[in-house]
Amino acid sequence: MLDHKDLEAEIHPLKNEERKSQENLGNPSKNEDNVKSAPPQSRLSRCRAAAFFLSLFLCLFVVFVVSFVIPCPDRPASQRMWRIDYSAAVIYDFLAVDDINGDRIQDVLFLYKNTNSSNNFSRSCVDEGFSSPCTFAAAVSGANGSTLWERPVAQDVALVECAVPQPRGSEAPSACILVGRPSSFIAVNLFTGETLWNHSSSFSGNASILSPLLQVSGHLYSGSTGHQIGLRGSLGVDGESGFLLHVTRTGAHYILFPCASSLCGCSVKGLYEKVTGSGGPFKSDPHWESMLNATTRRMLSHSSGAVRYLMHVPGNAGADVLLVGSEAFVLLDGQELTPRWTPKAAHVLRKPIFGRYKPDTLAVAVENGTGTDRQILFLDLGTGAVLCSLALPSLPGGPLSASLPTADHRSAFFFWGLHELGSTSETETGEARHSLYMFHPTLPRVLLELANVSTHIVAFDAVLFEPSRHAAYILLTGPADSEAPGLVSVIKHKVRDLVPSSRVVRLGEGGPDSDQAIRDRFSRLRYQSEA
């Protein structure tokens, strides 16, 4: 049985607590004893609370300082469109992009031939020991088209390779290697334009730059110093130019090159031994060595028609080789050199491009035929199956195609064709107008005409100027005849700005979407950088 006080405390707990508080106030000595006897856990919890609020205050203070006190770094304003003109000049079919000035925006490198440099720079042809006119290399900002560096590099240029990757551990800067006419061999710093080395040469017209280490035209040359390595050596190439430096899955280097209607190969180690007497840093692959002819030390893989292009295709276990012949093309296993799928018959005269038609699935876009009979074939590189076919007539000598990865793990493709599809009136009147068309696999029966150009196009590329944003195209236009100088232009246009005024071209029966709804879908496309 509970006594009266306990029963009242259970019925009215709050009153009981209030009574105890009053008792404690009336007895301070007892209250002090309670404080002294407070358990250590309660004092520890108060310390934890103080530490928590102190940490919270410090975090808020840091956020305030970073957000409102420390100024953000100035992000360069990237213009949506810019244009550079050169009068009485000739432009070369060469275009490269790289972040030259370190502002995280891709910059543009090109070559042109002129009497004098632009107004911003005073170095002339005579200053570099050339007669006028001579060839200038120029790097311009991708943000606004301002000149980063510009200098004469040769009397005339036969070959050029830029942004050459350096060997692992090398301290050499990224360079552009140029083979000039009549007898110059020069490397310039990609970021400053300054000369890294300069030698005289006697290259023939069919010389090709294979890698930072190799230049094969009867001799081997070091890409880091430009000096000749060893004695004379030759690949004995009889067919068209076009080399591929291939690395097998064992890490051995081989040079693949076309010879008539066959694919030929040569060991880099064997070639190096031939001209220097030692194997150097290279290794050989036993399987590939067994495929080499004992006499010629070359391997053969037959093709349908003349071999026009050799291209690397990334694979899970190393790079495979896409062999494009004049009558067919096929994907070869990068180690066995055997077909991965049945060769596809096609009349291919232009270099194919890679992209993703399905999410995360690599495809190749091949231009089959020319003129009014041209078709764009999209093939799955894994199986060789045709994913889509587009009828897109073109003019002779049109620019190469391009692609950009999109955020939906596909690609946007850019093709040049006739201004009025299905019409030949412009060719009959002599007005050659190239139109730039945009295609995305989510709209397989629609093309978007972004722009049309009546001047002669020398080079074209679609570029992601900033990581995961700002897709634009670069256009080089100039005289068709290199012996007749004229107006040369370098033009950049942001793709999204061209979409609102674009023309929707339907290739089949129209879907439910209106033209404006299709433009809106293209405007909402987001781009991503390559992995």
Side-chain angles (χ1 to χ4, degrees):
M1 297 290 293
L2 299 173
D3 59 17
H4 178 71
K5 290 183 177 181
D6 293 337
L7 181 62
E8 185 179 359
E10 186 168 335
I11 297 175
H12 304 288
L14 295 179
K15 290 183 178 181
N16 186 55
E17 292 294 331
E18 184 178 355
R19 186 183 299 112
K20 289 183 178 179
S21 299
Q22 292 175 354
E23 291 177 356
N24 291 335
L25 290 173
N27 191 357
S29 61
K30 183 178 180 181
N31 189 44
E32 291 176 2
D33 293 340
N34 290 338
V35 171
K36 292 179 181 179
S37 62
Q41 289 82 359
S42 61
R43 290 196 299 270
L44 183 61
S45 62
R46 285 194 292 271
C47 292
R48 288 175 176 171
F52 168 76
F53 284 109
L54 180 61
S55 301
L56 181 61
F57 172 77
L58 289 176
C59 291
L60 293 175
F61 177 76
V62 171
V63 171
F64 173 80
V65 170
V66 171
S67 302
F68 301 101
V69 178
I70 300 177
C72 295
D74 292 333
R75 185 179 183 87
S78 187
Q79 296 180 9
R80 300 172 182 270
M81 183 270 177
W82 49 256
R83 175 176 179 146
I84 307 170
D85 290 331
Y86 300 88
S87 59
V90 174
I91 194 75
Y92 288 82
D93 184 6
F94 168 75
L95 180 62
V97 294
D98 204 332
D99 184 8
I100 295 175
N101 60 356
D103 61 356
R104 300 190 66 193
I105 299 177
Q106 295 295 298
D107 304 307
V108 183
L109 185 71
F110 58 94
L111 302 175
Y112 71 96
K113 194 171 187 178
N114 203 351
T115 303
N116 297 310
S117 63
S118 65
N119 295 330
N120 299 329
F121 292 81
S122 58
R123 299 171 78 172
S124 65
C125 298
V126 177
D127 293 336
E128 297 294 333
F130 307 120
S131 61
S132 185
C134 66
T135 301
F136 288 82
V140 298
S141 167
N144 53 33
S146 61
T147 304
L148 301 177
W149 60 262
E150 183 180 51
R151 56 156 300 181
V153 290
Q155 193 65 55
D156 196 5
V157 171
L159 297 167
V160 59
E161 180 74 22
C162 277
V164 175
Q166 298 296 328
R168 183 175 298 177
S170 172
E171 297 181 357
S174 296
C176 293
I177 300 177
L178 301 100
V179 178
R181 297 189 180 100
S183 60
S184 64
F185 187 29
I186 183 175
V188 298
N189 189 312
L190 177 65
F191 302 109
T192 65
E194 296 301 319
T195 300
L196 298 177
W197 47 258
N198 189 359
H199 302 290
S200 60
S201 69
S202 57
F203 297 134
S204 60
N206 62 352
S208 295
I209 298 173
L210 300 183
S211 77
L213 176 70
L214 297 176
Q215 165 86 32
V216 177
S217 178
H219 299 85
L220 294 181
Y221 291 84
S222 167
S224 60
T225 65
H227 294 301
Q228 179 181 330
I229 300 174
L231 304 175
R232 180 178 177 85
S234 176
L235 294 178
V237 178
D238 302 321
E240 302 178 27
S241 61
F243 297 82
L244 196 65
L245 183 62
H246 183 70
V247 182
T248 69
R249 289 166 194 166
T250 62
H253 292 73
Y254 287 82
I255 302 171
L256 300 179
F257 52 92
C259 43
S261 60
S262 299
L263 171 64
C264 296
C266 177
S267 167
V268 172
K269 180 180 179 181
L271 182 62
Y272 196 90
E273 288 177 343
K274 183 178 179 180
V275 298
T276 66
S278 66
F282 304 105
K283 60 189 297 188
S284 58
D285 186 305
H287 177 69
W288 280 54
E289 291 297 314
S290 66
M291 294 190 294
L292 287 174
N293 184 284
T295 304
T296 63
R297 302 300 296 165
R298 290 161 59 178
M299 65 183 68
L300 296 176
S301 177
H302 292 284
S303 167
S304 297
V307 177
R308 295 193 179 276
Y309 302 104
L310 296 174
M311 305 173 67
H312 271 143
V313 177
N316 295 330
D320 294 327
V321 178
L322 182 67
L323 188 152
V324 181
S326 59
E327 299 175 8
F329 58 95
V330 65
L331 182 66
L332 302 178
D333 181 271
Q335 179 65 24
E336 305 295 331
L337 287 186
T338 55
R340 285 193 173 273
W341 30 260
T342 305
K344 305 297 178 183
H347 185 54
V348 183
L349 294 178
R350 295 161 60 81
K351 190 174 184 178
I353 59 170
F354 298 121
R356 287 173 171 81
Y357 190 90
K358 296 179 179 179
D360 297 320
T361 302
L362 194 62
V364 59
V366 178
E367 298 182 37
N368 181 25
T370 58
T372 57
D373 298 325
R374 185 181 74 156
Q375 285 189 325
I376 309 295
L377 301 178
F378 294 90
L379 284 88
D380 188 319
L381 275 170
T383 63
V386 177
L387 302 172
C388 179
S389 175
L390 304 177
L392 186 58
S394 66
L395 292 168
L400 294 177
S401 306
S403 68
L404 286 175
T406 53
D408 60 356
H409 303 281
R410 295 180 172 89
S411 295
F413 296 87
F414 300 86
F415 303 104
W416 290 87
L418 291 176
H419 171 55
E420 293 290 344
L421 294 182
S423 172
T424 59
S425 59
E426 61 185 20
T427 58
E428 292 172 356
T429 59
E431 182 185 4
R433 298 182 66 188
H434 298 276
S435 284
L436 177 61
Y437 293 93
M438 184 177 179
F439 172 82
H440 194 264
T442 56
L443 295 168
R445 309 309 301 171
V446 170
L447 290 173
L448 208 63
E449 185 185 25
L450 297 177
N452 55 80
V453 181
S454 58
T455 55
H456 179 251
I457 300 174
V458 179
F460 159 82
D461 199 6
V463 179
L464 196 59
F465 273 84
E466 297 178 74
S468 301
R469 55 184 291 178
H470 195 158
Y473 74 79
I474 291 291
L475 208 60
L476 304 183
T477 65
D481 186 359
S482 60
E483 301 299 325
L487 178 65
V488 163
S489 298
V490 184
I491 306 168
K492 168 198 165 183
H493 266 295
K494 189 174 182 179
V495 171
R496 187 179 298 173
D497 291 348
L498 299 172
V499 172
S501 59
S502 63
R503 181 172 68 98
V504 176
V505 179
R506 300 179 186 269
L507 303 178
E509 296 181 2
D513 292 339
S514 65
D515 287 359
Q516 186 57 46
I518 290 174
R519 293 189 190 97
D520 292 341
R521 290 184 62 177
F522 276 95
S523 293
R524 289 193 296 268
L525 280 178
R526 297 296 181 266
Y527 302 88
Q528 68 177 10
S529 305
E530 290 283 5

mmCIF file of all heavy atoms in Angstrom, residues 251-283:
data_model
loop_
_atom_site.group_PDB
_atom_site.id
_atom_site.type_symbol
_atom_site.label_atom_id
_atom_site.label_comp_id
_atom_site.label_asym_id
_atom_site.label_seq_id
_atom_site.Cartn_x
_atom_site.Cartn_y
_atom_site.Cartn_z
ATOM 1 N N GLY A 251 52.290 -5.459 -75.539
ATOM 2 C CA GLY A 251 53.077 -4.238 -75.432
ATOM 3 C C GLY A 251 54.100 -4.052 -76.526
ATOM 4 O O GLY A 251 54.960 -3.167 -76.417
ATOM 5 N N ALA A 252 54.034 -4.847 -77.596
ATOM 6 C CA ALA A 252 54.975 -4.713 -78.710
ATOM 7 C C ALA A 252 54.437 -3.717 -79.733
ATOM 8 O O ALA A 252 53.231 -3.646 -79.976
ATOM 9 C CB ALA A 252 55.209 -6.067 -79.375
ATOM 10 N N HIS A 253 55.345 -2.943 -80.353
ATOM 11 C CA HIS A 253 54.968 -1.917 -81.324
ATOM 12 C C HIS A 253 55.160 -2.430 -82.744
ATOM 13 O O HIS A 253 56.233 -2.960 -83.073
ATOM 14 C CB HIS A 253 55.807 -0.650 -81.122
ATOM 15 C CG HIS A 253 55.515 0.074 -79.847
ATOM 16 N ND1 HIS A 253 55.908 -0.387 -78.616
ATOM 17 C CD2 HIS A 253 54.853 1.247 -79.617
ATOM 18 C CE1 HIS A 253 55.507 0.450 -77.687
ATOM 19 N NE2 HIS A 253 54.859 1.455 -78.268
ATOM 20 N N TYR A 254 54.143 -2.224 -83.575
ATOM 21 C CA TYR A 254 54.209 -2.592 -84.989
ATOM 22 C C TYR A 254 53.598 -1.465 -85.817
ATOM 23 O O TYR A 254 52.659 -0.793 -85.385
ATOM 24 C CB TYR A 254 53.461 -3.902 -85.260
ATOM 25 C CG TYR A 254 54.185 -5.116 -84.739
ATOM 26 C CD1 TYR A 254 54.093 -5.485 -83.404
ATOM 27 C CD2 TYR A 254 54.996 -5.888 -85.574
ATOM 28 C CE1 TYR A 254 54.778 -6.586 -82.901
ATOM 29 C CE2 TYR A 254 55.678 -6.993 -85.092
ATOM 30 C CZ TYR A 254 55.569 -7.333 -83.762
ATOM 31 O OH TYR A 254 56.256 -8.412 -83.284
ATOM 32 N N ILE A 255 54.158 -1.269 -86.991
ATOM 33 C CA ILE A 255 53.642 -0.272 -87.918
ATOM 34 C C ILE A 255 52.748 -0.984 -88.934
ATOM 35 O O ILE A 255 53.198 -1.895 -89.628
ATOM 36 C CB ILE A 255 54.780 0.455 -88.648
ATOM 37 C CG1 ILE A 255 55.703 1.132 -87.637
ATOM 38 C CG2 ILE A 255 54.231 1.487 -89.625
ATOM 39 C CD1 ILE A 255 56.972 1.687 -88.244
ATOM 40 N N LEU A 256 51.483 -0.574 -88.979
ATOM 41 C CA LEU A 256 50.544 -1.102 -89.974
ATOM 42 C C LEU A 256 50.400 -0.063 -91.076
ATOM 43 O O LEU A 256 50.247 1.134 -90.806
ATOM 44 C CB LEU A 256 49.192 -1.398 -89.340
ATOM 45 C CG LEU A 256 49.190 -2.424 -88.188
ATOM 46 C CD1 LEU A 256 47.780 -2.596 -87.639
ATOM 47 C CD2 LEU A 256 49.758 -3.752 -88.646
ATOM 48 N N PHE A 257 50.417 -0.523 -92.327
ATOM 49 C CA PHE A 257 50.321 0.414 -93.448
ATOM 50 C C PHE A 257 49.714 -0.307 -94.648
ATOM 51 O O PHE A 257 49.820 -1.526 -94.778
ATOM 52 C CB PHE A 257 51.698 0.989 -93.807
ATOM 53 C CG PHE A 257 52.762 -0.045 -94.033
ATOM 54 C CD1 PHE A 257 53.011 -0.541 -95.297
ATOM 55 C CD2 PHE A 257 53.504 -0.535 -92.971
ATOM 56 C CE1 PHE A 257 53.987 -1.492 -95.514
ATOM 57 C CE2 PHE A 257 54.489 -1.484 -93.176
ATOM 58 C CZ PHE A 257 54.732 -1.972 -94.453
ATOM 59 N N PRO A 258 49.038 0.431 -95.528
ATOM 60 C CA PRO A 258 48.442 -0.171 -96.721
ATOM 61 C C PRO A 258 49.486 -0.397 -97.801
ATOM 62 O O PRO A 258 50.390 0.429 -98.000
ATOM 63 C CB PRO A 258 47.408 0.861 -97.164
ATOM 64 C CG PRO A 258 47.934 2.168 -96.654
ATOM 65 C CD PRO A 258 48.692 1.867 -95.401
ATOM 66 N N CYS A 259 49.379 -1.513 -98.485
ATOM 67 C CA CYS A 259 50.216 -1.772 -99.660
ATOM 68 C C CYS A 259 49.312 -2.408 -100.703
ATOM 69 O O CYS A 259 48.956 -3.583 -100.603
ATOM 70 C CB CYS A 259 51.419 -2.649 -99.325
ATOM 71 S SG CYS A 259 51.102 -4.045 -98.268
ATOM 72 N N ALA A 260 48.902 -1.576 -101.677
ATOM 73 C CA ALA A 260 47.946 -1.991 -102.716
ATOM 74 C C ALA A 260 46.650 -2.441 -102.048
ATOM 75 O O ALA A 260 46.052 -1.699 -101.288
ATOM 76 C CB ALA A 260 48.559 -3.064 -103.604
ATOM 77 N N SER A 261 46.216 -3.683 -102.297
ATOM 78 C CA SER A 261 44.964 -4.178 -101.736
ATOM 79 C C SER A 261 45.192 -5.021 -100.491
ATOM 80 O O SER A 261 44.360 -5.861 -100.142
ATOM 81 C CB SER A 261 44.226 -5.015 -102.786
ATOM 82 O OG SER A 261 45.014 -6.122 -103.186
ATOM 83 N N SER A 262 46.296 -4.807 -99.804
ATOM 84 C CA SER A 262 46.624 -5.582 -98.618
ATOM 85 C C SER A 262 46.996 -4.662 -97.473
ATOM 86 O O SER A 262 47.393 -3.504 -97.662
ATOM 87 C CB SER A 262 47.788 -6.540 -98.901
ATOM 88 O OG SER A 262 47.463 -7.458 -99.917
ATOM 89 N N LEU A 263 46.855 -5.211 -96.274
ATOM 90 C CA LEU A 263 47.336 -4.542 -95.077
ATOM 91 C C LEU A 263 48.670 -5.157 -94.700
ATOM 92 O O LEU A 263 48.775 -6.363 -94.504
ATOM 93 C CB LEU A 263 46.337 -4.719 -93.928
ATOM 94 C CG LEU A 263 46.799 -4.246 -92.545
ATOM 95 C CD1 LEU A 263 47.018 -2.736 -92.551
ATOM 96 C CD2 LEU A 263 45.776 -4.635 -91.481
ATOM 97 N N CYS A 264 49.696 -4.341 -94.630
ATOM 98 C CA CYS A 264 51.027 -4.828 -94.308
ATOM 99 C C CYS A 264 51.432 -4.342 -92.924
ATOM 100 O O CYS A 264 50.881 -3.367 -92.396
ATOM 101 C CB CYS A 264 52.042 -4.339 -95.343
ATOM 102 S SG CYS A 264 51.744 -4.975 -97.010
ATOM 103 N N GLY A 265 52.398 -5.044 -92.356
ATOM 104 C CA GLY A 265 52.873 -4.679 -91.034
ATOM 105 C C GLY A 265 54.358 -4.889 -90.908
ATOM 106 O O GLY A 265 54.959 -5.707 -91.615
ATOM 107 N N CYS A 266 54.977 -4.140 -90.006
ATOM 108 C CA CYS A 266 56.418 -4.223 -89.804
ATOM 109 C C CYS A 266 56.703 -3.985 -88.332
ATOM 110 O O CYS A 266 56.085 -3.125 -87.695
ATOM 111 C CB CYS A 266 57.129 -3.180 -90.668
ATOM 112 S SG CYS A 266 58.912 -3.114 -90.437
ATOM 113 N N SER A 267 57.629 -4.758 -87.771
ATOM 114 C CA SER A 267 58.014 -4.613 -86.373
ATOM 115 C C SER A 267 58.860 -3.370 -86.182
ATOM 116 O O SER A 267 59.843 -3.153 -86.896
ATOM 117 C CB SER A 267 58.787 -5.854 -85.917
ATOM 118 O OG SER A 267 59.415 -5.622 -84.680
ATOM 119 N N VAL A 268 58.490 -2.540 -85.220
ATOM 120 C CA VAL A 268 59.293 -1.363 -84.914
ATOM 121 C C VAL A 268 60.656 -1.789 -84.379
ATOM 122 O O VAL A 268 61.685 -1.188 -84.705
ATOM 123 C CB VAL A 268 58.561 -0.456 -83.901
ATOM 124 C CG1 VAL A 268 59.477 0.672 -83.427
ATOM 125 C CG2 VAL A 268 57.304 0.122 -84.512
ATOM 126 N N LYS A 269 60.676 -2.840 -83.575
ATOM 127 C CA LYS A 269 61.951 -3.333 -83.064
ATOM 128 C C LYS A 269 62.845 -3.794 -84.206
ATOM 129 O O LYS A 269 64.040 -3.488 -84.231
ATOM 130 C CB LYS A 269 61.707 -4.484 -82.092
ATOM 131 C CG LYS A 269 62.990 -5.065 -81.511
ATOM 132 C CD LYS A 269 62.718 -6.215 -80.555
ATOM 133 C CE LYS A 269 64.026 -6.777 -80.006
ATOM 134 N NZ LYS A 269 63.798 -7.904 -79.086
ATOM 135 N N GLY A 270 62.263 -4.522 -85.184
ATOM 136 C CA GLY A 270 63.058 -4.977 -86.324
ATOM 137 C C GLY A 270 63.573 -3.829 -87.153
ATOM 138 O O GLY A 270 64.723 -3.848 -87.608
ATOM 139 N N LEU A 271 62.739 -2.804 -87.355
ATOM 140 C CA LEU A 271 63.172 -1.644 -88.125
ATOM 141 C C LEU A 271 64.272 -0.880 -87.378
ATOM 142 O O LEU A 271 65.246 -0.430 -87.974
ATOM 143 C CB LEU A 271 61.984 -0.730 -88.403
ATOM 144 C CG LEU A 271 62.239 0.519 -89.245
ATOM 145 C CD1 LEU A 271 62.721 0.139 -90.638
ATOM 146 C CD2 LEU A 271 60.993 1.382 -89.328
ATOM 147 N N TYR A 272 64.110 -0.773 -86.073
ATOM 148 C CA TYR A 272 65.112 -0.078 -85.275
ATOM 149 C C TYR A 272 66.443 -0.828 -85.300
ATOM 150 O O TYR A 272 67.514 -0.223 -85.392
ATOM 151 C CB TYR A 272 64.600 0.059 -83.841
ATOM 152 C CG TYR A 272 65.341 1.072 -83.001
ATOM 153 C CD1 TYR A 272 64.925 2.397 -82.959
ATOM 154 C CD2 TYR A 272 66.452 0.706 -82.258
ATOM 155 C CE1 TYR A 272 65.596 3.331 -82.198
ATOM 156 C CE2 TYR A 272 67.140 1.632 -81.488
ATOM 157 C CZ TYR A 272 66.704 2.945 -81.460
ATOM 158 O OH TYR A 272 67.378 3.876 -80.707
ATOM 159 N N GLU A 273 66.377 -2.165 -85.207
ATOM 160 C CA GLU A 273 67.595 -2.973 -85.288
ATOM 161 C C GLU A 273 68.277 -2.818 -86.640
ATOM 162 O O GLU A 273 69.516 -2.799 -86.735
ATOM 163 C CB GLU A 273 67.267 -4.443 -85.036
ATOM 164 C CG GLU A 273 66.932 -4.769 -83.597
ATOM 165 C CD GLU A 273 66.558 -6.227 -83.424
ATOM 166 O OE1 GLU A 273 66.249 -6.881 -84.456
ATOM 167 O OE2 GLU A 273 66.551 -6.706 -82.276
ATOM 168 N N LYS A 274 67.481 -2.653 -87.692
ATOM 169 C CA LYS A 274 68.038 -2.558 -89.039
ATOM 170 C C LYS A 274 68.868 -1.296 -89.211
ATOM 171 O O LYS A 274 69.904 -1.306 -89.896
ATOM 172 C CB LYS A 274 66.899 -2.597 -90.059
ATOM 173 C CG LYS A 274 67.362 -2.571 -91.505
ATOM 174 C CD LYS A 274 66.163 -2.674 -92.446
ATOM 175 C CE LYS A 274 66.608 -2.634 -93.905
ATOM 176 N NZ LYS A 274 65.445 -2.731 -94.831
ATOM 177 N N VAL A 275 68.427 -0.204 -88.600
ATOM 178 C CA VAL A 275 69.124 1.060 -88.823
ATOM 179 C C VAL A 275 70.112 1.403 -87.716
ATOM 180 O O VAL A 275 70.986 2.256 -87.903
ATOM 181 C CB VAL A 275 68.112 2.213 -88.992
ATOM 182 C CG1 VAL A 275 67.243 1.980 -90.197
ATOM 183 C CG2 VAL A 275 67.274 2.391 -87.736
ATOM 184 N N THR A 276 69.999 0.766 -86.555
ATOM 185 C CA THR A 276 70.897 1.102 -85.446
ATOM 186 C C THR A 276 71.761 -0.075 -84.997
ATOM 187 O O THR A 276 72.773 0.137 -84.323
ATOM 188 C CB THR A 276 70.097 1.602 -84.230
ATOM 189 O OG1 THR A 276 69.299 0.530 -83.711
ATOM 190 C CG2 THR A 276 69.216 2.771 -84.604
ATOM 191 N N GLY A 277 71.335 -1.301 -85.315
ATOM 192 C CA GLY A 277 72.082 -2.463 -84.877
ATOM 193 C C GLY A 277 71.677 -2.980 -83.515
ATOM 194 O O GLY A 277 72.207 -3.980 -83.036
ATOM 195 N N SER A 278 70.698 -2.329 -82.850
ATOM 196 C CA SER A 278 70.206 -2.787 -81.550
ATOM 197 C C SER A 278 68.689 -2.635 -81.512
ATOM 198 O O SER A 278 68.110 -1.851 -82.266
ATOM 199 C CB SER A 278 70.837 -1.987 -80.409
ATOM 200 O OG SER A 278 70.410 -0.641 -80.454
ATOM 201 N N GLY A 279 68.056 -3.393 -80.610
ATOM 202 C CA GLY A 279 66.598 -3.359 -80.504
ATOM 203 C C GLY A 279 66.059 -2.166 -79.766
ATOM 204 O O GLY A 279 64.867 -1.894 -79.807
ATOM 205 N N GLY A 280 66.941 -1.446 -79.066
ATOM 206 C CA GLY A 280 66.502 -0.263 -78.355
ATOM 207 C C GLY A 280 65.493 -0.598 -77.269
ATOM 208 O O GLY A 280 65.512 -1.685 -76.683
ATOM 209 N N PRO A 281 64.564 0.315 -76.987
ATOM 210 C CA PRO A 281 63.593 0.088 -75.910
ATOM 211 C C PRO A 281 62.388 -0.741 -76.333
ATOM 212 O O PRO A 281 61.457 -0.905 -75.538
ATOM 213 C CB PRO A 281 63.168 1.516 -75.548
ATOM 214 C CG PRO A 281 63.268 2.254 -76.839
ATOM 215 C CD PRO A 281 64.437 1.657 -77.580
ATOM 216 N N PHE A 282 62.380 -1.243 -77.558
ATOM 217 C CA PHE A 282 61.194 -1.915 -78.081
ATOM 218 C C PHE A 282 61.231 -3.416 -77.811
ATOM 219 O O PHE A 282 62.283 -4.003 -77.557
ATOM 220 C CB PHE A 282 61.075 -1.655 -79.587
ATOM 221 C CG PHE A 282 61.059 -0.194 -79.934
ATOM 222 C CD1 PHE A 282 62.178 0.415 -80.482
ATOM 223 C CD2 PHE A 282 59.938 0.577 -79.695
ATOM 224 C CE1 PHE A 282 62.174 1.764 -80.786
ATOM 225 C CE2 PHE A 282 59.918 1.920 -80.000
ATOM 226 C CZ PHE A 282 61.035 2.514 -80.548
ATOM 227 N N LYS A 283 60.054 -4.029 -77.883
ATOM 228 C CA LYS A 283 59.927 -5.467 -77.691
ATOM 229 C C LYS A 283 59.140 -6.046 -78.855
ATOM 230 O O LYS A 283 58.501 -5.311 -79.625
ATOM 231 C CB LYS A 283 59.241 -5.768 -76.366
ATOM 232 C CG LYS A 283 57.843 -5.178 -76.255
ATOM 233 C CD LYS A 283 57.269 -5.297 -74.847
ATOM 234 C CE LYS A 283 57.091 -6.711 -74.418
ATOM 235 N NZ LYS A 283 56.366 -6.823 -73.122
#
